[in-house]
Amino acid sequence: MFGITQHITIDYDETYHSLDDYQGNVPRWCPGCGDNAILTSVQRLCRDEQLPPEKTVFVSGIGCSSRFPHYMKTYGFHGLHGRALPIAQGVKIRRPDLHVFVNMGDGDCCSIGTAHWIHAIRYNMNLVALMHDNEVYGLTKMQASPTSPRGMKTNTTPKGTVLQPLNPLTTTLGVSNVSFVAQVAEWMPDFLYEVIKAAYHHHGFAFVRILQRCPHYTPNIFDPFITNPDNVVLLTHEKGMPVRDELKKVYKNSIEHDPSDLHRAREIASMSDKIPVGILYQNEDIECYDELRRKTRACTHSMREQALEHEFSKFIIEPVTENGKSH
Amino acid sequence: MIAIRWRVFSLLQQFEQLLRRKKLSHGHQIKGTGSMNTDHPHAESETGSIDKKFITLREHIVEIVSDAGEGAQKAAQAFGTISAKMGNGIWTVEIIPAEIQPPPRNAAGASGNRIRVGSFHITNAGDEADLVFAFNEQVLLGRVSSKNLKPDATILLDNKWRTHKDPAIVKAYTETYDQLLAEGHTIYEVPMEQECLKYVSNPQRGKNMFALGVLCNIYKRDMDIARAHVEFIWQKKGEKVVTDNLNLLNAGYEWAEQNLDFQYEIPSAGITDPQIVVNGNTAIALGVMASGMEVCAMYPITPATSASHYLSEIFENVGGVVHQAEDEIAAVAFAVGASYAGKCAITITSGPGMSLKTEVLGLASMAEIPLVVVNVQRGGPSTGLPTKVEQGDLLAALYSTHGDAPKIVMAPATIEDCFYSIITARKIAETFRMPVYVLSDANLATGQQPFPKPKFNEDWVAPPLDLSPLPEGARPYDWDPKTGLSRRFIPGQAGGMHTLTGLAHDRESKVAYEPWINQDACKHRSLKLAAFQRTLKAPQVFGDPDGGDLLLVGWGSTKGAIEEAVTRARKDGLSVSSLHLKFLQPMASGIGDILKKFKKVLTVEINFSDDPQEEIITEENRRYANLAWLLRARYLVDVDCFSNVHGQPIKPGSIEAMIHRQLEAVPSAV
């Protein structure tokens, strides 16, 4: 199909991929970087789902988090600042056989690539988008990000940021065709894994905001939530994700939230003093752009020739025949 | 059905004609035309017909201009197609306002077409128009002030404004009329409103077919072909509309037959092989379909978008998809993603869009992702002249990315070239793993010219992807030391897993931390251009390959005009030749040798260059036209340039005049 030879699929069932099969270069992130936890969760997901490494693509933007694909042993596309989403969409549009993940930082997603983020939600293509949100520009050495809390001092805001931060959850939930929105934190590794897994299994565009510490520039930014688990709100529901009992012991603050309730999801997303974690919204009935625009049939040479001839006939001039008339 | 109805109509017309036969004086103004039922003061006896002057022409340039929405373009395109079907050489070019519906009766709002019809193969839009059909005097003034009409051009003018209820309009009309008459134009007033009202309730929407009928009579067009074509263009709107328009066509024809005292004949050589008549943008879309590409990602921009419109209509028939992205950057990024995944893609844009795409295009060069980029150039900089022609993006195409980002740049010179260039560009892009820019322009985009119907060739289409597993140790950038070429790994290919990156990288696509790696990688990416360059043949000199006094060098849509000017000047005994470059980056071997055979070399381009006559312009600060810079830099030849940014196709006549001026200055010239 799609001009792709088939025989490479023969061995799939016989090959077992271990974690090693997904581990690429040794990460060059700083010790203590939250990205490591995300990487581990994703590698675990790949192994548990036995994703063929050659059929799996990680597309990223620019920033610390966007080094992610280099540390996987799948296909990767470390592209341009802000442009991971349209590149990933291009990868997917004619390759439904590929599993495509997108890694973006908060600068990528919420600043330079915002237009793509909004439209990616609307396209609702079958992609998993992981937004590594450390609320700061790290690789460029500490500048304010759209998600930096108000008053945060950075190199570009020495007196503190003057604006309220952008809320990626309410923003995503406000866009037409939104189909999956979740939030999780890197310091909850098992839950992080569960959320990414749910995102992977979602039909449509899955957007996961991952709160992530930068050990250099925002090491303490999430302290209120780490030191006091009561500031974290677990979203539980029979239609939502299973939450293990051990987790419930630590995070005692949980609310029942039906992920199909968009209105309630927006209310939860608007919390300012606490952080909700889990699936805020999920709707698998939204149509997907890649499926709406999918190729309906293969095109042979003779079909192409016929189609061209049909078009040429609209513009044709034939030689005049003997009786003086055109054909 | 329609044919039968026409016969009935035709009989009626002949009957009426007998009643109305009249003769006109050779005065400039037709003094009223009389309705069907009233006798005309100049009516002749029923057996005679108006005295007509029959003139045989080699070629004529006709313009039809109206307010936007009055259909002059439709009439003009039809006139061009009918003429092409009769075997005449044609070139049509659109006259487009920048707005959808600019204010009516506005000199800057002229909408229409120019059609150059000849008894020979026509390669460009020609010089000033010989005849213009204007639906109001203001749009006509627009054409006069832009110097697009011959000083004695014949004018056909809708006379409804002479009796308009607004005295200001009447005044404007009569003043213009008197002025143009005094300047030496022959003006025929056409009672379009009055005549069209006989067939339709809203003449505004029917005038164009009436005008087409008038022109069909003036140029003795084959009415069977004309009627068949009018049927074709209205068939989707239903039988009533077809009938109305056929009636208007016939009415225009009959009105001219009875009221105009001249008729032209432009003999045609006929055609021997099937041809197609399309504009450059349609040709590009057809080229995409023929090339086997599956993905076109674009964002609307004038004057490129009509290529994507047509492609959107036809692409799914061959399994393709046109993705209208949220912006220009997303469009090219989407195309890059698709290409990376093995589906070589195209993005179609114009100047401002190309500027926006620049960073992603640098990534395509860096990561060696094949991509076809069409830039239908328009006037710049900034928003510039959105609907007008310019060739101002050549240097931007070559150099706008930061760092060293090799890419191939080619420019189609004809409508036919637009079709084949896309097929070629796809092949080069995939073979050499780099972006290929195709620089078309507004002149080609809207120009129509017949060319031999392409015969489908399986080689046009990309072979199926080779996704067989890669051997152990295979490297994603295993650059051949001599050519820089390497095999591309496609997602899905076992053993090829790697992370492509826009960072400096080595043969394994690992981020470069050693100082020599970036040098090595840049070298190999550049070698690919050299390897491609070695496959190019030097273009042929038009004129005298052995050299002479003057060589004109052009690129893109100006080819026809340049060669026509050279032909004319050579007939006058001048030692002038021309050279037209299809590949601007890299340039074929042998071009430098050609340049050195001529005493003077000068580029002809539609882009800006400083006028050396300006008081403060010297050789140390003069800025040259795009191609002149490139030739000077590469060949160390003193290349001059002739360029302007009037937003109009360069006329062969202006090039010819320039040749004469230049050769008067060259001592050895006659």
Side-chain angles (χ1 to χ4, degrees), chain A residues 97-235:
Chain A
D97 57 319
L98 298 176
H99 306 283
V100 185
F101 293 79
V102 183
N103 301 91
M104 301 171 282
D106 41 312
D108 263 326
C109 181
C110 304
S111 198
I112 193 169
T114 305
H116 310 314
W117 168 34
I118 303 297
H119 287 274
I121 300 161
R122 185 174 145 256
Y123 296 140
N124 193 37
M125 292 177 74
N126 283 288
L127 305 169
V128 178
L130 306 177
M131 201 262 271
H132 306 220
D133 192 351
N134 57 10
E135 306 191 351
V136 73
Y137 283 76
L139 197 61
T140 50
K141 314 290 181 269
M142 197 169 74
Q143 296 82 25
S145 138
T147 58
S148 298
R150 185 168 188 185
M152 188 166 105
K153 288 186 177 165
T154 72
N155 284 322
T156 48
T157 56
K159 294 176 186 165
T161 59
V162 296
L163 295 173
Q164 286 294 341
L166 181 149
N167 182 333
L169 298 178
T170 53
T171 306
T172 308
L173 287 165
V175 178
S176 310
N177 287 352
V178 58
S179 76
F180 183 100
V181 182
Q183 175 162 271
V184 67
E186 46 80 8
W187 60 87
M188 307 166 70
D190 285 340
F191 198 56
L192 173 65
Y193 168 81
E194 295 293 343
V195 168
I196 294 174
K197 186 175 167 187
Y200 167 73
H201 284 288
H202 173 69
H203 172 247
F205 180 71
F207 178 82
V208 184
R209 180 196 189 197
I210 305 170
L211 302 174
Q212 173 236 328
R213 288 164 294 180
C214 170
H216 261 275
Y217 302 122
T218 55
N220 308 117
I221 201 165
F222 300 116
D223 277 0
F225 312 107
I226 296 170
T227 55
N228 182 5
D230 287 350
N231 285 331
V232 174
V233 180
L234 280 181
L235 302 177

Side-chain angles (χ1 to χ4, degrees), chain A residues 2-5 7-8 12 25 28 53-55 57 67 69-81 83 86-95 97-98 115-117 119-120 123 125 289 293 295-297 299 301-305 307-320 324-326, chain B residues 84-85 224-225 232 271-278 282 286 289-290 292 294-295 310 314 316-327 329-330 333-334 336-338 340-341 343 359-360 363 369 453-456 458 461 464-465 467-469 490-494 496-503 510-511 513:
Chain A
F2 308 109
I4 297 160
T5 51
H7 59 274
I8 54 163
Y12 283 175
N25 300 341
R28 295 171 67 100
E54 68 275 14
K55 290 269 191 183
V57 185
R67 294 293 181 102
H70 289 281
Y71 310 142
M72 297 293 299
K73 211 192 277 178
T74 60
Y75 277 90
F77 193 126
H78 178 204
L80 292 177
H81 197 28
R83 317 301 168 202
I87 289 171
Q89 289 155 3
V91 172
K92 189 73 184 177
I93 192 74
R94 276 296 183 268
R95 293 295 303 272
D97 57 319
L98 298 176
H116 310 314
W117 168 34
H119 287 274
Y123 296 140
M125 292 177 74
Y289 185 72
R293 305 298 310 271
K295 189 169 171 173
T296 47
R297 56 175 188 180
C299 183
H301 285 323
S302 70
M303 287 161 77
R304 189 175 302 278
E305 180 170 14
L308 274 171
E309 285 296 327
H310 177 72
E311 295 310 314
F312 291 154
S313 72
K314 296 178 184 169
F315 311 109
I316 195 80
I317 302 175
E318 300 277 7
V320 175
K325 299 287 175 215
S326 316
Chain B
K85 287 191 170 178
D224 284 338
I225 295 178
F232 170 76
I271 48 169
T272 50
D273 297 310
Q275 307 213 318
I276 62 169
V277 188
V278 294
T282 303
L286 288 167
M289 195 185 192
E294 269 183 50
V295 177
Y310 178 55
I314 63 174
E316 286 179 8
N317 298 337
V318 291
V321 58
V322 176
H323 170 60
Q324 180 179 328
E326 60 271 21
D327 59 41
I329 298 172
F334 191 98
V336 158
Y340 160 76
K343 304 291 178 175
E359 189 194 14
V360 179
L363 170 69
I369 300 165
K453 191 183 87 165
K455 179 85 194 77
F456 178 72
E458 291 180 7
V461 183
L465 286 178
L467 284 187
S468 52
I490 308 291
Q493 200 166 13
M497 287 82 77
H498 68 284
T499 290
L500 171 151
T501 177
L503 284 166
K510 300 248 190 284
V511 179
Y513 295 104

